[in-house]
């Protein structure tokens, strides 16, 4: 049996901003909404007639104009359209027929795209890791590809191999945004593929390798000089990379490696590294999920076999783990000291859970008030909903610990008027806990009786592992029982609420 000694001497974790889908975002443009700064990757978008922070990848308008195609000649087909007088609102996704397409990244001949001066992107589309970016737009005409320099637009790359655009009116007529008919192939690419082109005309789907930007792990090893795997902990996927040259020098074959489940051996080569991918889910490819009071830890092992490939050859095992903090995203500058659940293992840190709280207009919890001040009639019933984004960990639920009102946005200020305390309603005739401890969403309604002119609502939450014991509060009077230990989250606040 081949032995391999690995001495772990240093772990360095580089912290970067992550958007709501878990994508690492380095320089994304930030937007404000009602005096509140939206999370990275979101914009202030009208949802149901209410302005709120939302992900443009999920809240967009389909733009289905066949005349925008790069092969549509306005002189041949008649008519010439102009995007100057259009009242662009929010974000748009381009379609030709029922197929999603992209704006062209190349000069388009004049009179194409159903207009006189077709508009195209002068810079490449962003990557998922870029978040929301600004891109320059040009309109081509007789004197060149950029005869008309447009005001820049915003662009975001979305999961599923498509893009959304925040268009602005054209500087004149007749100019119109183009839809590149050649990019129809991009809609056929799988999630593990990217749409590539060498000439911006002919496009193809290619397998993509992950870029280890979420977590950087530095490891010093003893003889033989074998680099341990690089682990990238995403919100939904975990990527593991092996250096081919170092393994070959040690007599190991990276292409024959597999995870704890031997069926999980699919891999791809990229710049001298062999990458393996596993879904962040308990039991998938042999994943083991363990929790404690602060973290959820996904563990697995990568088995690498000697080059000779004999049946009796014993593989070298690389334990690896991804650690996900069980707390809300309150500050991206907080340093977390991870731990190694397995000796000689490699560990990475994933993004924290995120929580949000909204005040809703009606008891169906479908239409939230916009961010900022809310004016309500005296005696109104408040409908409050909270949610935690923690994809991939189905066993956790959110529990309402304490919810109360203050005169200021500071949750530590006194006096406090409690609606929920110790997970239970303070007054069942005025406060109804409609959902708590059953999913990653919690809701309650309350008739608030206070003497303040302005009211701010605050809620303390916790994440509970429902496999350990019951997470649903059982209330007798104002006390709860039979609820397992859970992880406290950072308090949330909304307001001010003023009374008419």
């Amino acid at each position: 049996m081949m032995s391999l000694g690995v001495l772990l001497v240093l772990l360095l974790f580089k912290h970067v901003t992550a958007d709501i889908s878990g994508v690492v975002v380095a320089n994304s443009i930030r937007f404000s909404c009602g005096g509140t700064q939206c999370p990275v990757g979101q914009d202030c978008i009208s949802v149901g007639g209410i302005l709120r922070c939302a992900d443009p990848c999920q809240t967009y308008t389909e733009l289905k104009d066949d005349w925008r195609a790069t092969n549509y000649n306005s002189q041949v087909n008649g008519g010439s359209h102009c995007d100057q007088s259009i009242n662009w609102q929010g974000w748009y996704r381009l379609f030709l027929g029922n197929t999603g397409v992209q704006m062209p990244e190349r000069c388009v001949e004049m009179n194409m795209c159903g207009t006189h001066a077709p508009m195209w992107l002068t810079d490449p589309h962003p990557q998922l890791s870029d978040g929301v970016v600004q891109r320059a737009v040009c309109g081509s005409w007789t004197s060149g590809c950029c005869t008309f320099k447009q005001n820049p637009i915003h662009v975001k790359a979305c999961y599923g191999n498509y893009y959304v655009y925040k268009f602005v009116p054209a500087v004149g007529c007749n100019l119109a945004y183009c839809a590149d008919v050649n990019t129809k192939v991009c809609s056929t690419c799988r999630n593990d593929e990217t749409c590539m082109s060498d000439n911006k005309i002919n496009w193809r789907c290619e397998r993509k390798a992950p870029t280890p930007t979420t977590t950087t792990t530095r490891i010093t090893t003893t003889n033989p000089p074998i680099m341990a795997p690089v682990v990238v902990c995403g919100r939904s996927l975990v990527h593991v990379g092996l250096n081919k040259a170092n393994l070959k020098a040690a007599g190991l074959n990276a292409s024959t490696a597999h995870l704890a489940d031997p069926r999980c051996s699919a891999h791809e080569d990229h710049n001298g590294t062999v990458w393996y991918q596993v879904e962040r889910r308990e039991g998938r490819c042999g994943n083991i999920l363990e929790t404690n009071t602060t973290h959820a830890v996904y563990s697995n092992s990568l088995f690498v076999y000697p080059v000779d490939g004999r049946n009796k050859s014993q593989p070298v095992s690389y334990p690896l783990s991804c650690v996900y903090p069980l707390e809300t995203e309150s500050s991206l500058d907080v340093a977390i000291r991870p731990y190694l659940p397995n000796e000689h293992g490699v560990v990475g840190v994933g993004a924290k859970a995120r929580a949000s709280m909204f005040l809703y207009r009606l008891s169906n919890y479908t239409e939230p008030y916009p961010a900022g001040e809310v004016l309500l009639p005296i005696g109104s019933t408040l409908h409050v909903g909270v949610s935690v984004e923690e994809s991939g960990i189905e066993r956790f639920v959110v529990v309402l610990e304490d919810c109360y009102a203050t005169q200021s946005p500071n949750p530590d200020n006194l006096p406090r008027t409690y609606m929920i305390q110790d997970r239970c309603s303070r007054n069942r005739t005025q406060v109804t806990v409609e959902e708590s401890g059953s999913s990653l969403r919690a809701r309650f309604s309350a008739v608030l009786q206070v003497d303040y002119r302005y009211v701010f609502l605050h809620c303390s939450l916790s994440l509970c592992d429902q496999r350990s014991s019951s997470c649903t509060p059982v209330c007798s009077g104002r006390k709860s029982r039979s609820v397992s230990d859970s992880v406290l989250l950072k308090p949330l606040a909304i307001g001010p609420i003023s009374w008419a």
Side-chain angles (χ1 to χ4, degrees), residues 88 148 164 306 315 378 430 464:
W88 300 105
F148 299 98
V164 288
I378 294 176
Q430 295 182 352
C464 177

Side-chain angles (χ1 to χ4, degrees), residues 441-458:
R441 181 184 66 178
R443 300 179 297 180
F444 72 93
S445 59
V447 179
L448 192 58
Q449 302 293 334
V450 294
D451 297 328
Y452 318 145
R453 175 59 178 166
Y454 291 95
V455 173
F456 294 82
L457 299 184
H458 311 275

Side-chain angles (χ1 to χ4, degrees), residues 154-192:
H154 291 112
V155 187
K156 184 181 180 183
C158 304
Y159 279 110
N161 291 297
Y162 68 91
Y163 300 91
V164 288
Y165 306 88
K166 192 176 184 180
F167 293 128
V168 298
V171 295
C173 282
N174 284 353
L175 293 94
Y177 293 103
C178 284
D180 194 346
V181 67
N182 298 308
T183 61
K184 281 188 173 183
V185 66
C186 298
S187 65
T188 66
C189 297
R190 304 192 306 257
N191 288 336
D192 61 343

Side-chain angles (χ1 to χ4, degrees), residues 200-231:
K200 304 300 181 181
I201 298 176
N202 300 310
W203 295 81
R204 65 187 183 276
C205 298
E206 283 190 0
R207 292 285 300 277
K208 59 185 177 182
T211 302
T213 55
T214 304
T215 301
T216 301
T217 305
R218 180 179 297 173
I219 294 176
T220 302
T221 63
T222 58
N223 191 42
I226 299 176
M227 182 180 292
V230 175
V231 180

Side-chain angles (χ1 to χ4, degrees), residues 30 68 81 89 96 99 115 120 177 222 274 316 454 456:
R30 300 293 296 272
R68 295 186 183 275
H81 301 269
Q89 296 290 331
L96 290 177
T99 304
T115 190
W120 56 283
Y177 293 103
T222 58
V274 180
V316 176
Y454 291 95
F456 294 82

Side-chain angles (χ1 to χ4, degrees), residues 75-357:
Q75 290 185 323
V76 174
N77 296 285
S80 183
H81 301 269
C82 182
D83 283 340
Q84 184 183 40
S85 59
I86 293 181
N87 183 23
W88 300 105
Q89 296 290 331
W91 291 73
Y92 295 82
R93 181 180 174 186
L94 291 169
F95 284 85
L96 290 177
N98 293 320
T99 304
V101 292
Q102 308 167 14
M103 282 189 66
E105 298 176 359
R106 57 184 172 84
C107 181
V108 181
E109 295 181 7
M110 64 180 187
N111 296 318
M112 306 305 289
C113 303
T115 190
H116 289 158
M119 294 195 293
W120 56 283
L121 286 183
T122 62
D123 301 308
H125 281 76
Q127 303 294 318
L128 284 171
S129 59
D130 295 328
V132 177
V133 301
Q134 195 174 72
R135 287 292 184 258
V137 176
C138 276
S140 56
W141 191 236
T142 54
S143 59
C145 291
C146 202
T147 300
F148 299 98
K149 289 187 176 181
Q150 293 295 116
N151 292 321
I153 64 173
H154 291 112
V155 187
K156 184 181 180 183
C158 304
Y159 279 110
N161 291 297
Y162 68 91
Y163 300 91
V164 288
Y165 306 88
K166 192 176 184 180
F167 293 128
V168 298
V171 295
C173 282
N174 284 353
L175 293 94
Y177 293 103
C178 284
D180 194 346
V181 67
N182 298 308
T183 61
K184 281 188 173 183
V185 66
C186 298
S187 65
T188 66
C189 297
R190 304 192 306 257
N191 288 336
D192 61 343
E193 294 178 328
T194 186
C195 203
M196 299 290 295
S197 176
D198 298 323
N199 55 12
K200 304 300 181 181
I201 298 176
N202 300 310
W203 295 81
R204 65 187 183 276
C205 298
E206 283 190 0
R207 292 285 300 277
K208 59 185 177 182
T211 302
T213 55
T214 304
T215 301
T216 301
T217 305
R218 180 179 297 173
I219 294 176
T220 302
T221 63
T222 58
N223 191 42
I226 299 176
M227 182 180 292
V230 175
V231 180
V232 180
C233 301
R235 184 163 293 277
S236 59
L237 296 173
V238 174
H239 304 284
V240 186
L242 290 173
N243 184 280
K244 292 177 62 177
N246 288 345
L247 291 175
K248 184 177 180 180
L252 298 176
N253 186 357
S255 61
T256 62
H258 61 76
L259 293 164
D261 185 341
R263 295 171 296 181
C264 297
S265 59
H267 60 276
E268 58 182 84
D269 293 356
H270 184 74
N271 294 334
T273 300
V274 180
W275 287 96
Y276 297 81
Q277 178 178 289
V278 57
E279 186 178 359
R280 178 191 151 190
R281 190 176 298 275
E282 184 178 14
R284 188 60 54 90
C285 294
N287 281 344
I288 297 174
L289 173 59
E290 298 177 325
T291 61
N292 56 24
T293 59
T294 59
H295 295 79
V297 183
Y298 286 88
S299 300
N300 207 314
S301 291
L302 195 63
F303 295 90
V304 188
Y305 292 82
V307 175
D308 55 28
R310 292 175 296 178
N311 293 334
K312 294 184 179 180
S313 299
Q314 296 295 322
V316 176
S317 174
Y318 292 95
L320 52 98
S321 296
C322 275
V323 177
Y324 293 88
L326 296 178
E327 59 183 71
T328 55
E329 192 65 84
S330 59
S331 173
L332 291 174
D333 296 324
V334 174
I336 299 172
R337 184 182 298 276
Y339 64 93
L340 286 172
N342 295 312
E343 186 179 2
H344 305 314
V346 180
V347 65
V349 176
K352 300 177 184 177
R354 295 190 178 189
S356 57
M357 182 165 67

Side-chain angles (χ1 to χ4, degrees), residues 383-438:
H383 304 286
V384 182
V386 301
S387 61
V388 174
E389 297 178 18
E390 186 56 20
S391 60
I393 306 184
E394 294 82 358
R395 58 198 269 182
F396 288 98
V397 296
V398 63
V399 178
L400 294 171
E401 294 285 339
D402 299 296
C403 293
Y404 54 91
T406 66
Q407 301 179 59
S408 76
N410 187 343
D412 297 326
N413 283 1
L414 299 175
R416 298 177 181 178
T417 301
Y418 278 91
M419 293 162 283
I420 298 173
Q421 191 171 22
D422 296 329
R423 302 170 177 165
C424 293
S425 170
R426 282 290 300 266
N427 186 334
R428 294 185 180 181
T429 63
Q430 295 182 352
V431 180
T432 301
V433 179
E434 301 184 23
E435 184 178 3
S436 179
S438 60

Side-chain angles (χ1 to χ4, degrees), residues 469-481:
S469 62
S470 173
C471 293
T472 303
V474 179
C475 299
S476 175
R478 293 199 304 266
K479 298 296 182 181
S480 64
R481 57 184 175 85

